């Protein structure tokens, strides 16, 4: 009886001391980070459920109502086709978050794989992969994205591919340096000594132990990806009409700055808030997961 | 030091070669026949064939790349398909416009960013500190193109105090010497024009400066906070030096190194941001040059424009590396 109580206690302690729980506790301590998570959650929920509640369909045109200022009927006013801006922004959240998540997952997977290979195998493999990263990072990122889209042709899908591609070296370098430090650790040496295969060492030991910086970088990268997608949309190289992508909405608003500035104000606020949310959350995660990464 | 510079430049060679290769791929990677894509569906067979020859697309890729490199070394950046002029001949005015805008923006960003960071660290947890850091946080998350539009709406359309687009008064154009209009108007002693050019710079310049400013302010603050806790700062204070002197003379010198790295990195962001800012403000810079070329499928211009900007970016980073040694004598180049 007494023994089992002790066991239970020990188990409890073990649970509390788990690295993820500890990180969550650290994260919760930062008010700013929690606000960031709140903003992100708000936009995620809006993207998922919002379209069920919007007053109007995204492409429902009503030319009699065009360029109406914000009112009780149209909270954010209407655009040049008489479409309800609020409805479009709500739907646009889907596009922006979708692009942000997908692009970052893509670059994290490709970048991490290349980074692990470079860091673990070293020598010429490392030299080649690292040089490719150097070369990609030698371009201002949005310029490289523009180059990719100018080759593939303007569309939301190609913008997503471009954004994923330009973020690959950021993840790659991060993981590579992490792997370089981990691979000399004793538990990896002993795994090798008992004859464990490279693949198993890489993916069951090194990868999980390098995840923290990837999660932090990933959260911050979603913020950048959302801005980049909007920038490409704004330049006409991303989402095409009549998509309610926020950057595209901003581009369309340019002709109506004088008489209908609300067509410009609200999509911009939506982009800024979403990006702010991810930035705050990323900063909080960084402090919680890896104090050494604090800038 | 010389040895270090030499080895850094040597290390740059593969990066520069790689850059030219990526840029070279821009035309070659177009799905389908690039000549057909450039000329459109209605193009005649002869026209497509002629363009293939002009672009050298008939040769194997390694010969094409070699020819392309040879051209670059002799200053041949290709020929614009739209204007038929060599890119090398027509690019300078655009490049000068972008450099003027970027330098203006980085000066604003550095002056305001560093000072805001210093004051925030000096008066840590004061209302100024909180306000500055909240602004900086929003600044980092601000889409530059939205900020540009907001600037345009508030200051040009609503208040009417600053011009909406362009670089000069089109009815009274600047007599061009260097293509840096601020310098040109100063050389000519034309102060009326100088102030007009300066007014045109303010909106795009501040829009472009916002993100770097925010990042520089945050970096300066955290770097200063660290230095301010050190022993020598306490010594300086306790021997009765004025706080201003301690902060700006003693602490800043040691806090500036990480800030300098950030400034170097921001120059690249600035060059990328220039494309967006220039589109909004009708600024005739290299960003708009590339942007318009995309609309016309003018690939030689897209290629060379991107290559030039990337080259400048790499050179700035090299320069920043070299500057460390001058500012921080503890850094020894091996």
């Amino acid at each position: 009886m007494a023994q089992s109580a002790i066991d239970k206690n020990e188990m409890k302690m073990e649970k509390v001391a788990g690295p993820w729980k500890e990180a969550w506790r650290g994260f919760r301590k930062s008010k700013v980070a929690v606000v960031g998570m709140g903003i992100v959650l708000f936009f995620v929920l809006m993207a998922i459920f919002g379209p069920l509640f919007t007053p109007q369909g995204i492409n429902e045109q009503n030319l009699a109502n065009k360029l109406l200022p914000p009112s009780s009927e149209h909270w954010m006013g209407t655009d040049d086709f008489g479409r309800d801006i609020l409805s479009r922004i709500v739907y646009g959240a889907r596009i922006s978050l979708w692009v942000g998540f997908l692009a970052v997952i893509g670059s994290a997977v490709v970048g991490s794989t290349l980074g692990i290979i470079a860091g673990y195998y070293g020598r010429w493999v490392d030299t080649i992969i690292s040089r490719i990263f150097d070369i990609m990072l030698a371009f201002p990122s949005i310029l490289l994205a523009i180059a990719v889209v100018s080759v593939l042709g303007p569309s939301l899908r190609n913008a997503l591919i471009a954004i994923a591609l330009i973020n690959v070296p950021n993840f790659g370098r991060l993981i590579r340096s992490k792997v370089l430090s981990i691979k000399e650790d004793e538990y990896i040496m002993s795994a090798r000594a008992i004859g464990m295969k490279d693949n198993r060492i890489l993916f069951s030991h090194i990868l999980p132990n390098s995840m923290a910086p990837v999660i932090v970088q990933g959260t911050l990268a979603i913020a950048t990806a959302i801005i980049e997608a909007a920038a490409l949309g704004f330049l006409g190289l991303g989402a095409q009409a009549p998509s309610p992508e926020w950057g595209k909405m901003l581009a369309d608003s340019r002709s109506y700055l004088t008489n209908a500035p609300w067509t410009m104000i609200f999509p911009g606020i939506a982009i800024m808030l979403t990006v702010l949310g991810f930035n705050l959350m990323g900063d909080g995660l960084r402090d919680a997961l890896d104090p050494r990464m604090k800038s | 030091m010389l040895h270090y510079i030499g080895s850094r430049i040597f290390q740059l060679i593969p990066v520069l070669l790689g850059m030219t290769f990526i840029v070279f791929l821009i035309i070659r990677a177009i799905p389908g026949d690039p000549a057909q894509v450039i000329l459109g569906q209605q193009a005649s067979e002869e026209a497509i064939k002629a363009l293939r020859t002009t672009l050298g697309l008939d040769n194997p890729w390694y010969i094409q790349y070699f020819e392309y490199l040879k051209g670059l070394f002799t200053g041949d950046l290709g020929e614009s398909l739209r204007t038929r002029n060599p890119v090398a001949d027509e690019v300078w005015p655009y490049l000068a416009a972008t450099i003027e805008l970027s330098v203006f923006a980085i000066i604003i960003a550095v002056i305001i960013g560093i000072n805001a960071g210093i004051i925030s660290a000096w008066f840590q947890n004061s209302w100024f500190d909180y306000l500055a850091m909240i602004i900086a946080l929003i600044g980092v998350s601000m889409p530059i193109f939205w900020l540009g539009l907001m600037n345009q709406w508030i200051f040009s359309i609503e208040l009417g105090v600053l011009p909406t687009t362009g670089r000069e008064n089109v009815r009274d154009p600047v007599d061009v010497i260097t293509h840096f209009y601020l310098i040109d108007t100063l050389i000519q002693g034309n102060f009326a024009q100088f102030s007009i050019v300066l007014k045109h710079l303010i909106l795009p310049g501040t829009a472009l400066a916002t993100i770097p400013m925010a990042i520089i302010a945050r970096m300066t603050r955290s770097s200063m906070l660290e230095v301010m806790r050190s022993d020598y700062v306490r010594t300086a204070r306790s021997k009765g030096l004025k706080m201003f002197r301690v902060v700006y003379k003693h602490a800043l010198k040691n806090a500036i190194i990480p800030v300098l790295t950030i400034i170097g990195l921001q120059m690249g962001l600035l060059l990328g941001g220039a494309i967006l800012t220039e589109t909004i403000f009708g600024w005739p810079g290299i960003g708009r040059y590339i942007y318009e070329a995309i609309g016309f499928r003018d690939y030689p211009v897209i290629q060379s424009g991107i290559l030039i900007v990337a080259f400048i970016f790499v050179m700035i980073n090299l320069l920043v590396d070299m500057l460390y040694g001058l500012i921080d004598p503890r850094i020894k180049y091996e």
Side-chain angles (χ1 to χ4, degrees), chain A residues 62-75:
Chain A
N62 184 351
L63 289 176
N65 282 345
K66 72 176 193 179
L67 300 177
L68 290 180
S71 63
S72 58
E73 203 176 332
H74 300 285
W75 290 3

Side-chain angles (χ1 to χ4, degrees), chain B residues 145-331:
Chain B
F145 38 100
W146 183 54
L147 187 69
L149 290 176
M150 289 288 280
N151 271 354
Q152 230 171 24
W153 173 55
I154 296 172
F155 295 102
S156 309
I157 296 172
E158 291 297 316
L159 301 175
V161 285
L162 290 166
T164 328
T165 55
R167 217 183 150 193
E168 60 185 336
N169 185 348
V170 276
R171 268 173 262 142
D172 177 24
V174 173
D175 289 326
V176 175
I177 304 169
T178 60
H179 286 281
F180 297 114
Y181 285 5
L182 282 180
I183 296 175
D184 289 352
T185 49
L186 271 187
I187 294 174
Q188 290 155 10
N190 193 339
F191 294 107
Q193 259 188 348
F194 178 81
S195 91
I196 291 175
V197 172
L198 193 63
K199 272 187 178 168
H200 278 88
L201 262 171
I202 292 176
L203 286 188
T206 43
L208 196 53
T210 307
I211 298 177
M213 193 194 305
I215 295 176
I216 291 170
R218 287 172 63 160
M219 193 70 213
T220 309
R221 178 179 181 272
S222 66
S223 179
M224 281 295 280
L225 280 178
E226 213 165 282
V227 174
M228 299 278 274
R229 287 192 205 109
S230 58
D231 290 342
Y232 78 94
V233 167
R234 200 174 312 130
T235 312
R237 281 288 291 152
S238 54
K239 74 176 185 183
L241 268 187
K242 284 255 163 33
M243 193 60 184
F244 184 83
R245 214 176 140 79
V246 175
V247 169
Y248 275 87
K249 187 139 195 296
H250 295 246
L252 184 60
K253 214 170 176 181
N254 276 305
I256 202 76
I257 306 263
V259 179
L260 199 68
T261 318
I262 290 287
I263 294 175
L265 288 173
Q266 291 311 306
M267 282 302 285
L269 209 108
L270 219 61
L271 291 168
I275 288 206
L276 294 158
T277 320
E278 288 172 6
T279 314
I280 296 166
F281 290 97
W283 192 264
I286 193 140
R288 220 175 72 152
Y289 185 52
I290 297 171
Y291 175 68
E292 283 177 0
I294 294 173
F296 287 97
R297 297 200 190 115
D298 192 350
Y299 283 95
V301 169
I302 302 175
Q303 284 183 304
S304 298
I306 290 179
L307 188 62
I308 291 169
V309 175
F311 182 74
I312 296 175
F313 182 41
V314 171
M315 288 301 135
I316 290 169
N317 285 331
L318 179 69
L319 208 69
V320 170
D321 264 10
M322 312 267 141
L323 273 178
Y324 291 154
L326 290 179
I327 292 191
D328 188 349
R330 287 170 306 183
I331 295 176

Side-chain angles (χ1 to χ4, degrees), chain A residues 150-267:
Chain A
S150 74
V151 169
L152 298 177
S155 74
L156 185 65
R157 194 192 62 143
N158 292 342
L160 196 156
I161 295 174
I163 294 165
L165 197 68
I166 59 176
N167 283 308
V168 164
N170 295 327
F171 286 98
R173 274 199 171 173
L174 192 70
I175 283 283
R176 177 183 168 273
S177 64
K178 190 83 192 166
V179 171
L180 282 180
S181 69
I182 290 180
K183 89 174 174 187
E184 303 303 330
D185 283 355
E186 279 170 6
Y187 68 97
I188 299 295
M189 298 237 196
S190 48
R192 216 175 291 154
I194 59 171
M196 198 181 274
K197 291 252 162 59
D198 275 358
N199 267 346
R200 175 117 187 259
I201 296 179
L202 279 176
F203 292 101
S204 332
H205 292 283
I206 292 188
L207 187 65
N209 281 299
S210 334
M211 268 342 266
V214 174
I215 292 171
V216 174
Q217 171 75 19
T219 316
L220 295 170
I222 291 176
T224 329
I226 288 174
I227 285 205
E228 278 159 352
L232 289 174
F234 182 77
L235 290 174
L237 300 173
Q240 302 292 311
S243 161
E245 197 269 328
W246 293 339
K248 178 84 185 81
M249 286 174 78
L250 276 182
D252 295 341
S253 77
R254 288 181 62 195
S255 324
Y256 310 100
L257 274 192
T258 317
N259 48 3
W262 53 87
T263 55
M264 172 267 297
I265 294 173
F266 295 112

